Amino acid sequence: MKLRILTLGIAVSVLTACGGGDKQDDAKVLNVYNYSDYIAEDTIPNFEKATGTKVTYDVFDSDEMVETKLLAGNSGYDVVVPTLNFFGRQIKAGVFLPLDKSRIPNLANLDPSVMKRIAQQDPGNEYGVPYMIGTTGIGYNVELLKQRFGGSTEIANSWDLIFKPENIAKMKDCGITILDTPSDMIPIALHYLGEDPHSQDPATLEKAAGLLKTIRPYVQNFHSSQYVGSLANGGTCLVVGWSGDIIQARDRAAEASNGVTVAYSIPREGAPQWFDMLAIPKDAKHPEAAYAFINYLLEPKVAAANTNFIHYANPVTTATPLVDEAIRTDPTIYPPADVAAKMFTYSINTPEVDKLYTRLWTEVKTGR
């Protein structure tokens, strides 16, 4: 669910035409398309200062947005950041440039176990580099939850808080937001029902939509980024959202000393774990600058700085000791093995299933 930035360890002076082919006179330009609030504030400025590259950094708040641009062609971007399941489908559509790994020496810093898992959807890790790792779970206003559940927050450790109408109804008056992404919400509903979250059976997907429709009357807002500020300032009391975003909301509220206490939970039944990828569109106009940027993001100090700012785990093993202790020891950011064992990833949907997802999600949102 995210702001991110990339950096470079390759001298821009050695940039030569490749793939989409930079010209020497415009090799100092880079166009990035990434999630909002998903990178440290100084990452881009530091990259620009170190390389003389001018970066244009545009943001989106859902994978559906970036996929539309990629599949239409001529996106105008040199680096994009899709989530793994979308990325796997986009590989099949032929929209990415195969990586010249010799231009990304910092690949050596990546966690081999993460690379192996990603290779299930990107064989040989041919097209993408992992940027950040996160989970999707429950964010909540601690005091408002306690007021409605007998002084306890235990209910927040279960998806029962979201999917049992008698529970979620108790939070309606203080504001509920869930992600506006069927690619997150439908698999979560499937998992809660005891179904395979990777199911592509229409009848099974209808069951997930049916569950989501039962909670629709209590949801104030469907959005994939606005909840960060709203949760932090007390305008929203319950969200289904991305781990780093909710943890950012927690820290913003604490810094503001506004009387709002935010917490994040990974429900005990299990939750999604996802990987956001760095990739180069095959029609990128500045591929060499893109390589430099990706390599820069894999520098341990840069990766650690991004994690410290956005509170998502990164796959750079040599960066972990540089991450703030409070972050690297936070089990909601770096989940322990017993929690991780219950997590699931998203599947690559066929175009037909994707259309069904879209139709079902429209029905959920409109309450039909």
Side-chain angles (χ1 to χ4, degrees):
M1 262 74 256
K2 308 169 181 179
L3 258 182
R4 1 246 195 276
I5 289 190
L6 328 174
T7 52
L8 105 103
I10 304 175
V12 178
S13 61
V14 303
L15 301 180
T16 55
C18 155
D22 290 9
K23 294 180 180 179
Q24 283 292 339
D25 60 357
D26 70 354
K28 300 281 188 177
V29 174
L30 180 70
N31 299 306
V32 179
Y33 199 35
N34 196 2
Y35 279 95
S36 59
D37 302 317
Y38 206 40
I39 195 165
E41 291 178 317
D42 61 355
T43 302
I44 294 293
N46 287 346
F47 174 79
E48 290 180 321
K49 183 178 180 180
T51 65
T53 303
K54 173 60 179 176
V55 178
T56 298
Y57 188 87
D58 294 339
V59 301
F60 56 88
D61 64 9
S62 76
D63 269 294
E64 288 80 2
M65 291 174 64
V66 67
E67 181 164 89
T68 297
K69 286 185 177 289
L70 288 171
L71 296 182
N74 298 312
S75 69
Y77 294 105
D78 305 303
V79 174
V80 295
V81 192
T83 304
L84 181 60
N85 58 310
F86 281 82
F87 174 67
R89 184 168 64 191
Q90 291 152 8
I91 289 173
K92 295 181 178 180
V95 301
F96 296 123
L97 187 71
L99 296 176
D100 180 349
K101 296 179 183 179
S102 70
R103 290 176 166 81
I104 316 174
N106 284 331
L107 286 173
N109 296 333
L110 291 169
D111 184 339
S113 66
V114 170
M115 299 301 284
K116 182 178 180 180
R117 192 169 183 185
I118 288 169
Q120 295 175 16
Q121 295 193 19
D122 177 16
N125 303 116
E126 185 177 0
Y127 291 95
V129 175
Y131 173 54
M132 290 287 164
I133 306 167
T135 59
T136 304
I138 299 172
Y140 58 96
N141 183 306
V142 173
E143 291 306 317
L144 294 180
L145 189 78
K146 285 182 176 180
Q147 289 174 15
R148 291 157 176 78
F149 289 94
S152 171
T153 61
E154 174 58 28
I155 188 66
N157 294 318
S158 171
W159 286 117
D160 285 348
L161 173 58
I162 303 297
F163 291 120
K164 286 191 174 181
E166 64 268 28
N167 290 331
I168 193 172
K170 295 180 181 180
M171 304 297 287
K172 179 182 179 181
D173 66 303
C174 56
I176 299 169
T177 294
I178 65 175
L179 292 167
D180 191 10
T181 53
S183 56
D184 279 270
M185 296 307 305
I186 289 176
I188 289 171
L190 287 171
H191 184 73
Y192 180 76
L193 290 170
E195 301 286 355
D196 180 1
H198 304 134
S199 177
Q200 301 196 2
D201 174 61
T204 304
L205 297 180
E206 289 277 2
K207 290 181 183 179
L211 175 62
L212 290 163
K213 288 175 184 178
T214 66
I215 67 170
R216 174 63 184 92
Y218 312 106
V219 178
Q220 177 187 46
N221 195 23
F222 294 84
H223 209 280
S224 300
S225 60
Q226 289 180 353
Y227 65 86
V228 179
S230 184
L231 192 58
N233 64 30
T236 296
C237 63
L238 180 65
V239 306
V240 176
W242 294 311
S243 54
D245 288 357
I246 295 169
I247 293 166
Q248 284 186 54
R250 177 195 70 188
D251 291 351
R252 288 185 192 181
E255 291 168 4
S257 299
N258 60 3
V260 174
T261 302
V262 173
Y264 174 71
S265 73
I266 300 174
R268 59 175 170 265
E269 297 91 347
Q273 183 178 50
W274 40 260
F275 303 85
D276 285 333
M277 306 296 295
L278 303 166
I280 304 173
K282 69 177 182 182
D283 58 359
K285 294 181 179 179
H286 314 102
E288 297 298 336
Y291 280 120
F293 187 52
I294 291 172
N295 194 65
Y296 180 70
L297 286 180
L298 301 183
E299 291 281 351
K301 289 183 178 179
V302 176
N306 285 331
T307 288
N308 287 338
F309 186 78
I310 66 174
H311 296 165
Y312 283 99
N314 72 75
V316 178
T317 56
T318 48
T320 304
L322 305 177
V323 173
D324 292 346
E325 183 178 5
I327 294 174
R328 70 174 184 265
T329 59
D330 187 331
T332 65
I333 301 175
Y334 288 85
D338 60 329
V339 175
K342 294 182 180 180
M343 292 181 177
F344 57 90
T345 56
Y346 300 123
S347 63
I348 301 174
N349 290 334
T350 65
E352 293 75 20
V353 170
D354 196 48
K355 289 179 182 177
L356 179 55
Y357 262 53
T358 300
R359 177 177 68 78
L360 293 174
W361 191 241
T362 299
E363 291 179 3
V364 169
K365 290 177 66 177
T366 57
R368 294 196 324 206

